[in-house]
Amino acid sequence: MRSSSVKLDSVSKRFNRRTIFEKVSASVNAPGSLAITGRNGSGKSTLVKILAGVLSATEGKVSLTVDGHEIPRELLYQQVGFVSPYLMLYDEFSAAENIRLLESMRSGRRAADTEIDSLLDMVGLAHRRNDRIGTFSSGMKQRAKYAVALIHRPAMLILDEPTSNLDAEGIAIVRGVAERQSTSGILIVATNDSEEAGWCSQQIPLGIG
Amino acid sequence: MNYIRMSAIVIITYVLISGIAIPIVPQPQGWFEFPVIPGLEEKARNIFFHVPTAWTTVVAFLVSMWYGLRYLRTRNMDDDLKSEASAGLGFMFCVLATITGALWAKFNWGSFWNWDPRETSIFILLLIYGAYFALRSAIEVEETRARLSAVYATLAGLTVPFFIFVLPRIVSGLHPGAKGDPEGAGPVVEFKMSPSMLVVFILGLIGFNLLYVWLLNVRVRTARLEYRRSTPQG
Amino acid sequence: MSGYVLRAWNIVVRLLRDNTMIEFFAQHQLYIVLGVVLLIWAGIVGYLMRLDGRVRKLEESGK
Amino acid sequence: MSVRAQIGAVVVKDVRSEVRNRYAINALVMFVVTAVATILFALRSEQPGPATLAGMYWVVIFFSAMSGLARIFVSEEERGTALTLQLTTSPGILFAGKLAVNTGLTLLLTLSVSALYIVTFPGFVIRSPDIFALTVLLGSIGFSASATILAAIIAKANSRGTLYPVLSFPILIPLLMTVMNATEKALEGAAFIEAVGDMQVLVGYCLIMIAGSFLLFDYVWND
């Protein structure tokens, strides 16, 4: 198991001169987990995007350290897995193709069939392996995103509204994924559901006041 | 700033008076008379106004690009305000330079527009400014607007060397026997002016650039006021 | 006051009657151009100074 | 080399996506056909000289490219997969891949326009194939270098369709003038030595634009 930690140092974000959130600080050491809670519009999605290195913070600093090395922002993608309802996969490719293409874009390596099959099996999509994502229901798309996010064994897994569009079986799968990640690496969950927030050992509320 | 303001007013007033009123005679006797440049005669007076405005256009563009690049580094919205203000002034000077140039070309070359290399480059500069503002108006989020317009200004700036070094050669290649009188432009372009003209010319360059600095200062200040006013309090 | 106006009027009338002024400007049309240009320039400078002052006032009231 | 494999993956993804969706190709083909047909109607039986032909050749390429090349980033932004890409690769790798795809597309475009011109215009005879080949190659590279980063800018703005040619034209003018000049020489049958100056300009343009876009792309792609 690799040692890793993520640190938020008084991070603020302003957007079009509107303050989304101000001076958020937190830190998680692996194995560990953090829930980011708050109402709609409190900036949960913005904060997780900053954690993933997709957005930059207006002030403050975010740092992910893996095995004692701080990961520069342009290489964060190799260490981060991300699942959210607004993340899109390529409709014209099948589930297996999406996983393989995105993984080879990420690391240049060709994912083995067995690897892809076991991931799809885990999220319950093995039978639709070669169907185009465009034909999937939104719940199935959400499941496929978990397979894409886990193929490179990320040091930090970020789940934004982890169970949206999912049925009971899907939620059980996600709970399993979250449990494994929080005992082997870093898990970040952004949610306004208290049960999902309860998966995590720490919570930071956003948008108080 | 007060010195800049006062010297801009004094210098430009001086350039206006001497540029227009100093008589052009075949045998100049001193600083108060200009020599006749063959092929230009009275039209030579345009040099004092056209060239400085064109020069200021380029300076304004470079300043805009410089502040754009600074924005990319600092992410300070004030740099973007400066970049935009400078681009706006550059556009104004560019229009002035185009009009003075076209008027002069009408009387010297026989038509308002000849696609001479210099006319082509100022036309492209106009296009760049136009595109810059079109891009700005098409982006709503101000951080994105600042970022992308800075990138665009820099990209446009990268093509400038091509216009300076390459265009004159290529365009004359595309337009063999282009209309016009290259002799007429020669002494101006190569700074082979008489000392009395050179003084007014250089003062013109300085004066118009000082005017630009003053205008930029006023524009940036109004832009800051506007920015502060529209910022939600608290 | 009215004495000055009258005297100035007389000078203008004499200049016009003797055609001295018209002759002068007929020979040196450039000075008319210069006058117009200077007038425009003065207008621009005046406008700019006023604008500058107003902006300064606004800046001070904002602090 | 991992980087080369990653860039390759971006190319494979885009090419395969293009084969399935035909976002760009269809628009490009139709545009080329319509543009050339319009020129033919306008000219009727007139036979234009090399300068006009060289100009019209690049005009068709410019406007067709403007209708198709922006898709490469606009489609990602419209489908919402831009975020997915941000989470899967670094900007440099993505830009290299997209640049390669656009260069391929532009080369395909210039080749098909050349073929169409050779067939339809009796005056369009390539008398100096060496000049022509190099012009088309360097022209396509320079073209797509500028077009790709501008496409990335456009993808983040509103009114994308009209903005793209407006933004590209001033930046592409030095390139357009040089390739038109060189193509004219190729049609007139000039010796290669006469076009060396043009080639130097083209190489310079390609180098500056590629280097510049690589440095600036980070700022376009990441917020």
Side-chain angles (χ1 to χ4, degrees):
Chain A
M1 192 175 79
R2 291 179 302 173
S3 71
S4 51
S5 67
V6 67
K7 223 177 133 199
L8 284 160
D9 192 7
S10 65
V11 173
S12 310
K13 179 71 181 173
R14 279 190 296 278
F15 201 59
N16 243 346
R17 276 178 264 168
R18 256 194 32 249
T19 303
I20 312 286
F21 48 77
E22 224 163 8
K23 300 221 165 27
V24 177
S25 296
S27 79
V28 188
N29 291 319
S33 52
L34 171 73
I36 298 164
T37 57
R39 289 171 311 195
N40 293 337
S42 58
K44 295 186 297 285
S45 296
T46 310
L47 184 57
V48 291
K49 281 186 191 165
I50 291 174
L51 273 169
V54 174
L55 287 180
S56 55
T58 312
E59 277 154 18
K61 196 171 175 283
V62 181
S63 55
L64 177 70
T65 313
V66 176
D67 293 331
H69 300 288
E70 193 181 324
I71 309 293
R73 184 179 166 184
E74 63 269 21
L75 292 179
L76 270 179
Y77 69 91
Q78 294 172 344
Q79 309 291 346
V80 174
F82 195 97
V83 179
S84 87
Y86 49 80
L87 186 78
M88 296 293 164
L89 298 177
Y90 288 95
D91 279 351
E92 65 270 30
F93 299 137
S94 71
E97 271 178 317
N98 260 297
I99 299 174
R100 176 167 293 128
L101 280 172
L102 289 173
E103 176 56 14
S104 59
M105 276 159 69
R106 176 150 40 211
S107 59
R109 122 194 128 88
R110 194 186 150 79
D113 279 341
T114 52
E115 243 178 306
I116 294 173
D117 285 341
S118 71
L119 271 170
L120 284 173
D121 197 36
M122 182 200 79
V123 296
L125 287 175
H127 61 296
R128 300 290 296 268
R129 184 182 190 280
N130 293 322
D131 290 352
R132 291 193 184 182
I133 294 274
T135 65
F136 280 22
S137 74
S138 45
M140 292 161 76
K141 282 182 187 165
Q142 181 80 355
R143 290 177 182 215
K145 290 174 202 166
Y146 278 92
V148 171
L150 290 170
I151 181 93
H152 58 298
R153 298 171 203 285
M156 175 163 69
L157 180 66
I158 298 175
L159 309 178
D160 190 0
E161 298 183 42
T163 57
S164 71
N165 299 325
L166 289 181
D167 52 15
E169 187 205 325
I171 294 174
I173 292 170
V174 172
R175 196 181 303 133
V177 167
E179 235 167 61
R180 254 167 284 144
Q181 181 71 24
S182 57
T183 51
S184 66
I186 300 170
L187 173 73
I188 311 276
V189 179
T191 180
N192 45 24
D193 180 309
S194 54
E195 200 204 311
E196 289 165 19
W199 300 346
C200 301
S201 48
Q202 278 184 71
Q203 294 191 13
I204 47 168
L206 279 187
I208 302 291
Chain B
M1 206 57 222
N2 259 324
Y3 285 112
I4 290 175
R5 208 168 340 201
M6 287 331 288
S7 23
I9 297 172
V10 171
I11 291 175
I12 293 184
T13 311
Y14 174 76
V15 171
L16 284 174
I17 294 174
S18 51
I20 293 178
I22 288 183
I24 290 179
V25 297
Q27 254 85 43
Q29 300 298 315
W31 65 269
F32 51 86
E33 284 176 332
F34 290 153
V36 174
I37 297 176
L40 278 178
E41 290 97 29
E42 293 285 329
K43 288 168 286 189
R45 299 183 191 282
N46 193 34
I47 300 165
F48 307 124
F49 311 106
H50 170 66
V51 180
T53 44
W55 178 262
T56 313
T57 305
V58 176
V59 170
F61 180 73
L62 292 178
V63 169
S64 176
M65 184 178 143
W66 160 254
Y67 278 116
L69 282 172
R70 228 175 73 157
Y71 171 80
L72 291 181
R73 237 191 16 232
T74 62
R75 302 289 162 132
N76 182 354
M77 210 36 90
D78 201 51
D79 287 327
D80 182 57
L81 292 183
K82 288 178 186 160
S83 181
E84 189 190 12
S86 183
L89 287 174
F91 183 70
M92 186 194 82
F93 278 105
C94 196
V95 170
L96 288 179
T98 312
I99 294 173
T100 49
L103 282 174
W104 179 81
K106 174 70 183 169
F107 293 104
N108 216 59
W109 294 342
S111 69
F112 286 111
W113 208 260
N114 302 284
W115 294 111
D116 148 277
R118 259 154 233 283
E119 288 180 334
T120 312
S121 18
I122 202 128
F123 172 69
I124 292 160
L125 213 55
L126 269 178
L127 285 184
I128 290 176
Y129 277 122
Y132 176 86
F133 287 110
L135 177 65
R136 286 194 78 95
S137 60
I139 307 171
E140 269 145 30
V141 180
E142 65 184 32
E143 284 90 354
T144 317
R145 186 197 306 141
R147 207 155 41 85
L148 296 186
S149 54
V151 170
Y152 185 71
T154 314
L155 273 180
L158 287 180
T159 63
V160 166
F162 289 96
F163 294 123
I164 296 171
F165 300 115
V166 177
L167 204 64
R169 200 173 56 82
I170 296 285
V171 173
S172 61
L174 271 183
H175 294 264
K179 282 179 284 178
D181 183 6
E183 286 304 304
V188 182
V189 175
E190 283 149 38
F191 282 86
K192 279 184 201 152
M193 281 183 259
S194 75
S196 60
M197 289 180 104
L198 200 59
V199 168
V200 180
F201 176 71
I202 288 175
L203 279 176
L205 284 183
I206 298 172
F208 276 92
N209 276 295
L210 289 176
L211 180 68
Y212 156 75
V213 173
W214 179 17
L215 289 171
L216 182 65
N217 174 273
V218 174
R219 273 198 73 142
V220 168
R221 280 157 60 204
T222 46
R224 277 188 197 140
L225 284 172
E226 215 176 357
Y227 185 80
R228 234 184 10 224
R229 200 199 56 182
S230 58
T231 306
Q233 298 301 313
Chain C
M1 185 62 201
S2 58
Y4 283 110
V5 173
L6 210 65
R7 211 180 302 165
W9 176 249
N10 278 336
I11 290 172
V12 170
V13 166
R14 203 164 58 237
L15 277 173
L16 286 174
R17 189 186 303 139
D18 300 351
N19 273 348
T20 35
M21 199 167 85
I22 290 172
E23 259 166 46
F24 176 80
F25 281 119
Q27 279 162 17
H28 305 275
Q29 289 158 344
L30 220 47
Y31 290 104
I32 298 178
V33 175
L34 178 63
V36 172
V37 167
L38 283 180
L39 211 65
I40 296 173
W41 172 237
I44 293 174
V45 167
Y47 171 75
L48 266 175
M49 298 286 268
R50 230 164 69 92
L51 193 68
D52 208 330
R54 283 176 146 189
V55 171
R56 185 164 321 131
K57 239 182 249 166
L58 273 173
E59 279 171 342
E60 276 157 13
S61 72
K63 268 169 200 161
Chain D
M1 261 307 271
S2 154
V3 172
R4 208 178 301 162
Q6 281 170 282
I7 295 172
V10 176
V11 175
V12 167
K13 181 235 121 194
D14 265 23
V15 169
R16 213 185 283 176
S17 178
E18 184 57 45
V19 168
R20 298 214 180 144
N21 283 330
R22 301 179 194 253
Y23 278 127
I25 292 277
N26 282 348
L28 281 182
V29 169
M30 283 321 291
F31 208 102
V32 168
V33 171
T34 346
V36 174
T38 316
I39 290 176
L40 285 171
F41 290 146
L43 289 176
R44 299 216 181 89
S45 57
E46 248 359 93
Q47 283 309 317
T52 318
L53 275 175
M56 288 190 318
Y57 173 79
W58 286 100
V59 165
V60 169
I61 290 174
F62 174 77
F63 282 103
S64 330
M66 287 306 103
S67 74
L69 293 189
R71 296 290 330 161
I72 201 148
F73 279 108
V74 171
S75 69
E76 305 277 4
E77 209 73 41
E78 277 173 358
R79 293 188 289 169
T81 44
L83 179 69
T84 316
L85 286 178
Q86 281 178 306
L87 288 164
T88 16
T89 57
S90 65
I93 287 164
L94 180 72
F95 187 73
K98 295 284 190 187
L99 179 60
V101 174
N102 258 355
T103 308
L105 213 55
T106 317
L107 270 175
L108 209 68
L109 178 70
T110 44
L111 289 182
S112 44
V113 175
S114 309
L116 213 56
Y117 264 59
I118 289 170
V119 173
T120 49
F121 291 103
F124 196 86
V125 181
I126 300 160
R127 294 194 174 82
S128 320
D130 45 357
I131 299 180
F132 189 77
L134 204 56
T135 308
V136 163
L137 181 69
L138 291 172
S140 303
I141 295 173
F143 220 95
S144 41
S146 308
T148 308
I149 185 146
L150 287 170
I153 294 178
I154 291 290
K156 309 259 177 191
N158 309 330
S159 65
R160 291 157 182 158
T162 45
L163 208 50
Y164 195 42
V166 170
L167 293 192
S168 330
F169 187 57
I171 287 176
L172 284 173
I173 285 178
L175 181 79
L176 278 175
M177 286 184 154
T178 318
V179 288
M180 282 177 184
N181 202 27
T183 309
E184 191 192 334
K185 283 176 187 160
L187 295 182
E188 281 166 346
F192 188 77
I193 197 85
E194 287 174 55
V196 166
D198 294 324
M199 296 308 156
Q200 284 168 340
V201 173
L202 286 180
V203 170
Y205 185 89
C206 291
L207 289 179
I208 288 184
M209 274 305 157
I210 291 176
S213 341
F214 259 103
L215 291 175
L216 291 169
F217 183 69
D218 280 18
Y219 296 111
V220 179
W221 187 239
N222 281 328
D223 259 307

